[in-house]
Amino acid sequence: MQYALIINEHPEEMAKREGRDAPAYWAAWAAFSKAVAEAGVMRGGAGLQPPHSATTVTLSEGGHQVQDGPFSDSKEQLGGFFLIEAESLDEALTWASRLPSPEGKIEVRPCLPPQSSDE
């Protein structure tokens, strides 16, 4: 089964992407990426641009509204995701616990199976 490891970091942690802390920050993420790739469980993923670059579309029955910026009720910010193949939720949780984000939350969510076009 595929699982999405959705990475929500504190703003202070995301700030490490630039400046003097950037080399160590990116080295930790590169090491994790290498580990999941070498284990053969990596299926995809991406880091995301900072939250201020987001645009949110709110859908309703009457149409939609476009707003600059992220829509979030939490202090953490969505930083990126990994898509992995795991035999069980426990295995996916083990990978999530190895992510190099010292603070924040990692949401581990099973992916829906692909739907055929004739269903």
Side-chain angles (χ1 to χ4, degrees), residues 39-110:
V41 300
M42 178 74 148
R43 295 296 177 265
L48 300 174
Q49 293 290 330
H52 66 78
S53 68
T55 302
T56 300
V57 177
T58 303
L59 304 176
S60 67
E61 288 185 31
H64 68 278
Q65 177 183 12
V66 178
Q67 174 184 349
D68 287 341
F71 179 79
S72 178
D73 290 332
S74 72
K75 293 182 181 181
E76 292 87 14
Q77 300 171 343
L78 181 59
F81 67 97
F82 282 87
L83 183 61
I84 64 168
E85 185 78 31
E87 293 293 322
S88 66
L89 175 59
D90 287 340
E91 182 184 351
L93 294 172
T94 298
W95 280 109
S97 70
R98 293 180 58 186
L99 284 161
S101 187
E103 301 226 7
K105 294 184 173 93
I106 310 302
E107 181 177 342
V108 178
R109 189 182 297 190

